[in-house]
């Protein structure tokens, strides 16, 4: 008996520890499930989940080694890698956590005005919203400057010809404060991850007028960022974490498990929110096809073209300067090679390519993958644009050769 | 050292903020402003134009603070103490406090201020942890009493017998007494609830 105890203790002592930071968001589901179901432990990993109140805490704790990994918005991972907002820390993204799940939620009067204008003028929601915003110089909230929300909202509104700063104000409002800010009129709407749109809707202060997929169908959302030093010292542990998360992603993506996952996430130590508000944003939840995707359509695969799209949009809005080679940065941080290596013996398919054209598919398509192809959903942008990662590379090369010619 | 350094304190804990304000005021070189825990953080910063912001890391508002560059020329830099001293930064993070430098205050001026903040946050944290530990112990005792009562009533045990029974169960299962007791009570309550429901169904 005492032998068994000491053996277990010895094994526990030897297990690599991974401290994973996350925010109170629905797309933390795979990490929470992997922890609660013992999937990390099955891979010989001692995971410790740390729920943080802000993206700033996630960034600083990664930068100073208080966290080994985090569920992160990819633009913030690039900001930490580059040291754009504080101390720098090399990070890598070997696993994508989710696609979709964000909502554009407006105050009820603004939502009503937008819908009425869309109907009477026969225009799209975004065109109607742009006209309303221009007329009243309103403020919209996003969750952080280096967030997917900031980039997606700007992209969407720019397709209707309006720009933050010139035609409307954009402010950072932590999602936990967004409902209050909407009530007091400090903001007229916000773009944030699930469940916050549904929390505002259920509190009867907001109405959801669009979701991620209205801006970019199958838009990549959260990713797992890992400190490069931690990963390089423990390649086996990193592989284990990827396998544990893949298993959890499958569970969370199964519509049958939605109610169970919502109950798990609603616990006080995680989201501490009404499970019904969480349920809406889960696969198979009360708002089918509008919420988060965790597994289907290679949602866990860290496409380098996703990283490059975020970087290109960050440059568009002046968040990264011109001197940085975006393609090399996307390649350094996004690591599909580590993903493939970790799951190679599981028989789970992984895409063969690291890059793809984004927005090129109006209808479901099939991605080449081994050992079997993967059924992919449509990935159209709201403006029909097609993002060609090679075009970004050639722009960089052109800049370089222009310099060379001087 | 600049005599008129303006420091904005943003702290959820009013007592702690007052204590820090007093401590920094005593040193005599700073003008201290306290921001309430409010929504209009960006506007407060715009209006008061502090040189330094000290903020409780437990607040979500740090994200809003980081975006102030978008509405003004100010360029807040997360600054625990400066990039040259990671150990100091680690102490600050462990204590749960950080600072933003808005006007290029010199490092040697920031350091003593942050040292005061770190010391104070650490002291408050220790008090909180002690309080939590005391609460947990009281709760454990309450649960043990309840479990003993269930055993004494249901299985006609004496009090020492009931306690020994619980201890033995914990030892056999190689788990903490508190866990075993909590689970025992939950199971008992679930069983009696089911029994009551079954009882109701009978004609």
């Amino acid at each position: 008996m005492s032998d068994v105890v000491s053996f277990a203790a010895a094994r526990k002592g030897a297990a690599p520890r991974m401290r994973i930071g996350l925010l109170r968001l629905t797309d933390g589901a795979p990490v929470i499930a992997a922890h609660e179901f013992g999937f990390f432990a099955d891979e010989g990993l001692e995971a410790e989940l740390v729920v943080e109140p802000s993206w700033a805490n996630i960034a600083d704790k990664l930068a100073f080694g208080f966290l080994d990994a985090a569920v992160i918005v990819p633009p913030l991972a690039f900001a930490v890698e580059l040291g754009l907002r504080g101390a720098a820390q090399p990070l890598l993204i070997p696993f994508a956590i989710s696609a979709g799940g964000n909502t554009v939620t407006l105050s009820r009067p603004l939502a009503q005005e937008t819908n009425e204008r869309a109907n009477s003028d026969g225009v799209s929601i975004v065109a109607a919203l742009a006209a309303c915003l221009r007329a009243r110089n309103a403020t919209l909230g996003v969750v952080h400057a280096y967030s997917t929300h900031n980039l997606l909202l700007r992209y969407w509104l720019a397709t209707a010809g309006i720009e933050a700063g010139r035609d409307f104000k954009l402010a950072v409002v932590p999602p936990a404060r967004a409902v209050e800010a909407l009530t007091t009129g400090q903001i007229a709407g916000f773009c944030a991850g699930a469940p916050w749109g549904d929390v505002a809707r259920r509190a009867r202060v907001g109405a959801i007028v669009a979701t991620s997929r209205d801006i970019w169908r199958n838009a990549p959302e959260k990713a797992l960022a890992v400190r490069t030093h931690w990963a390089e010292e423990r390649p086996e542990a990193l592989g284990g974490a990827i396998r544990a998360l893949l298993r959890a992603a499958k569970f969370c993506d199964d519509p049958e498990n939605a109610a169970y996952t919502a109950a798990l996430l609603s616990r006080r130590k995680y989201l501490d929110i009404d499970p019904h508000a969480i349920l809406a944003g889960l696969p198979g939840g009360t708002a089918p096809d509008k919420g988060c995707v965790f597994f289907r359509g290679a949602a866990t695969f860290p496409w380098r073209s996703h990283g490059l799209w975020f970087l290109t949009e960050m440059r568009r809005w002046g968040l990264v300067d011109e001197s940085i080679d975006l393609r090399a940065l996307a390649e350094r941080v996004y690591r599909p090679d580590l993903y493939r290596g970790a799951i190679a013996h599981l028989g789970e398919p992984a895409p063969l390519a690291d890059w793809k054209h984004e927005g090129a598919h109006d209808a479901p398509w099939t991605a080449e993958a081994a050992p079997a192809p993967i059924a992919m959903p449509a990935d159209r942008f709201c403006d029909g644009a097609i993002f060609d990662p090679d075009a970004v590379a050639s722009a960089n090369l052109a800049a370089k050769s222009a310099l060379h010619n001087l | 050292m600049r005599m008129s350094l303006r420091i904005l304190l943003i702290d959820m804990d009013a007592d702690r903020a007052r204590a820090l304000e007093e401590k920094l005021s005593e040193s005599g070189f700073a003008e201290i402003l306290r921001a309430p825990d409010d929504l209009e953080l960006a506007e407060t910063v715009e209006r008061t134009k502090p040189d330094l912001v000290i903020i409780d890391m437990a607040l979500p508002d740090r994200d809003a603070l980081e975006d102030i560059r978008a509405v003004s020329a100010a360029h807040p830099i997360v600054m625990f103490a400066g990039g040259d001293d990671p150990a100091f930064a680690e102490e600050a993070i462990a204590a749960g406090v950080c600072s933003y430098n808005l006007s290029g205050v010199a490092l040697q001026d920031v350091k003593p201020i942050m040292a005061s903040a770190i010391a104070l946050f650490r002291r408050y944290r220790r008090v909180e942890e002690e309080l939590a530990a005391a609460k947990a112990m009281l709760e454990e005792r309450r649960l043990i009493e309840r479990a003993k009562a269930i055993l004494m009533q249901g299985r006609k045990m004496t009090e020492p017998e009931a306690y020994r029974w619980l201890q033995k169960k914990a030892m056999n299962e190689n788990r903490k007494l508190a866990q075993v007791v909590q689970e025992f009570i939950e199971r008992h309550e679930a069983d009696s609830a089911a029994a009551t429901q079954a009882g109701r169904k009978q004609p």
Side-chain angles (χ1 to χ4, degrees):
Chain A
M1 169 96 185
S2 63
D3 283 344
V4 175
V5 173
S6 59
F7 177 66
R11 216 180 50 161
K12 202 178 175 196
R17 190 165 67 120
M18 191 186 210
R19 294 161 301 173
I20 309 173
L22 67 163
L23 260 51
R24 292 168 61 205
L25 293 165
T26 304
D27 40 27
V31 174
I32 293 170
H35 182 58
E36 291 284 339
F37 301 156
F39 295 169
F40 288 122
D42 285 351
E43 297 288 344
L45 204 62
E46 192 192 328
E48 185 190 324
L49 304 197
V50 188
V51 178
E52 292 290 344
S54 68
W55 287 116
N57 276 19
I58 294 269
D60 287 332
K61 289 189 177 182
L62 281 171
F64 286 100
F66 280 73
L67 291 173
D68 305 309
V71 178
I72 205 167
V73 273
L76 185 60
F78 287 123
V80 173
E81 163 85 17
L82 295 171
L84 297 180
R85 53 154 296 288
Q89 174 76 239
L91 297 178
L92 47 85
I93 291 179
F95 187 88
I97 297 279
S98 63
N102 298 323
T103 63
V104 178
T105 305
L106 302 178
S107 70
R108 284 163 57 118
L110 181 57
Q112 193 182 351
E113 200 185 319
T114 301
N115 285 323
E116 278 168 8
R117 197 185 278 252
N119 285 334
S120 65
D121 298 358
V123 295
S124 65
I125 289 287
V126 66
L129 174 59
C132 295
L133 286 176
R134 212 183 252 129
R136 60 164 82 181
N137 190 30
T139 302
L140 297 182
V142 292
V143 303
H144 196 278
Y146 298 109
S147 65
T148 50
H149 315 86
N150 187 20
L151 301 181
L152 287 172
L153 186 64
R154 281 171 183 267
Y155 187 97
W156 193 50
L157 291 171
T159 64
I162 68 166
E163 208 172 283
R166 191 186 66 199
D167 305 300
F168 68 101
K169 277 170 72 182
L170 206 55
V172 169
V173 179
R177 294 234 191 265
V179 174
E180 192 187 350
L182 210 53
T183 313
T184 62
Q186 187 205 355
I187 54 172
F190 63 86
C191 179
W196 297 102
D198 281 286
V199 171
R201 186 178 62 79
R202 294 175 68 86
R204 300 187 176 281
V205 296
I208 296 169
V209 296
T211 64
S212 293
R213 61 181 274 125
D214 297 313
I215 302 169
W216 180 8
R217 289 187 72 174
N218 204 33
E221 183 49 37
K222 302 297 185 299
L224 183 79
V226 185
R227 281 192 297 117
T228 305
H229 300 309
W230 188 95
E232 280 173 353
E233 283 166 15
R234 303 162 187 83
E236 278 307 310
L238 180 70
I242 292 169
R243 289 186 292 275
L245 286 171
L246 186 71
R247 211 171 141 196
K250 264 186 169 172
F251 178 91
C252 296
D253 214 41
D254 187 341
E256 276 192 357
N257 299 328
Y260 188 88
T261 306
L264 183 64
L265 264 57
S266 75
R267 286 188 190 170
R268 197 172 299 161
K269 65 175 169 178
Y270 297 126
L271 272 65
D272 192 15
I273 283 171
D274 177 2
H276 295 97
I278 298 170
L279 190 59
L282 287 170
T286 42
D289 297 332
K290 289 196 169 177
C292 309
V293 174
F294 296 116
F295 181 75
R296 276 162 292 154
T300 55
F301 187 72
W303 294 97
R304 285 187 158 131
S305 42
H306 285 169
L308 190 57
W309 186 84
F310 286 129
L311 283 169
T312 310
E313 290 297 304
M314 285 168 78
R315 175 164 289 169
R316 177 182 179 187
W317 304 113
L319 295 169
V320 276
D321 75 77
E322 298 290 330
S323 65
I324 291 161
D325 182 344
L326 299 186
R327 198 177 155 101
L329 180 58
E331 231 162 36
R332 188 164 77 233
V333 174
Y334 274 65
R335 296 296 298 274
D337 54 322
L338 296 176
Y339 177 97
R340 289 193 199 98
I343 69 157
H345 63 280
L346 296 182
E348 289 288 345
L352 297 178
D354 294 346
W355 308 84
K356 61 185 166 83
H357 282 48
E358 301 296 338
H361 304 93
D362 282 334
W365 58 291
T366 305
E368 278 187 60
I374 298 176
M376 300 289 289
D379 60 8
R380 217 181 100 84
F381 285 100
C382 56
D383 59 351
I386 292 175
F387 176 73
D388 175 1
D390 291 332
V392 178
S394 52
N396 269 335
L397 287 176
K400 266 184 206 155
S401 59
L403 212 68
H404 188 73
N405 291 341
L406 280 175
Chain B
M1 188 172 277
R2 271 175 63 183
M3 297 307 288
S4 58
L5 211 54
R6 284 164 78 84
I7 302 174
L8 180 67
L9 296 182
I10 304 165
D11 191 351
M12 196 162 54
D13 183 331
D15 285 343
R16 188 173 56 192
R18 202 174 306 122
L20 184 57
E21 182 180 356
E22 274 168 23
K23 202 168 168 185
L24 292 177
S25 298
E26 275 168 24
S27 64
F29 57 79
E31 183 189 347
I32 318 294
L33 307 157
R34 269 201 283 141
D37 169 25
D38 74 345
L39 283 169
E40 315 280 333
L41 187 56
E43 270 113 275
T44 305
V45 173
E46 290 294 294
R47 199 180 59 245
T48 57
K49 298 193 170 38
D51 299 299
L52 198 67
V53 176
I54 293 181
I55 182 166
D56 175 1
M57 286 181 75
L59 290 170
D61 307 273
R62 288 189 64 202
D63 289 340
L65 200 57
E66 293 198 354
D67 191 50
I68 288 168
R69 73 193 78 187
V71 287
S72 79
H75 197 89
I77 299 293
V78 193
M79 196 165 135
F80 293 99
D84 60 331
D85 194 347
F88 198 83
E90 281 163 22
E91 273 185 49
I93 295 176
V97 60
C98 85
S99 69
Y100 287 82
N101 194 341
L102 274 77
S103 63
V105 186
L107 186 59
Q108 72 263 28
D109 291 356
V110 177
K111 240 178 170 166
I113 294 168
M114 275 303 282
S116 296
I118 290 168
L120 205 69
F121 269 67
R122 200 189 278 147
R123 195 195 313 153
Y124 270 74
R125 173 156 291 201
R126 203 164 51 226
V127 170
E128 262 170 38
E129 281 166 2
E130 282 166 6
L131 204 67
K135 269 189 190 159
M137 208 157 80
L138 275 177
E139 176 64 6
E140 190 180 325
R141 253 183 234 159
R142 194 186 66 80
L143 289 176
I144 292 172
E145 289 307 313
R146 169 106 181 86
K148 280 197 297 191
I150 293 167
L151 286 169
M152 285 155 68
Q153 205 182 18
R155 306 199 191 184
K156 308 282 176 243
M157 290 183 188
T158 65
E159 191 174 339
E161 278 171 351
Y163 190 67
R164 268 200 303 277
W165 188 88
L166 290 167
Q167 259 186 329
K168 191 157 177 281
K169 186 170 161 66
M171 224 148 55
N172 287 344
E173 296 174 13
N174 190 26
R175 290 160 67 201
K176 285 194 179 137
L177 183 63
Q179 281 179 318
V180 168
V181 164
Q182 186 170 7
E183 199 184 273
F184 175 79
I185 293 170
E186 277 169 11
R187 198 167 293 163
H188 173 80
E189 279 165 0
D191 287 351
S192 50
T196 318
Q197 255 187 349
R200 249 184 238 132
K201 272 180 201 152
Q202 281 170 7

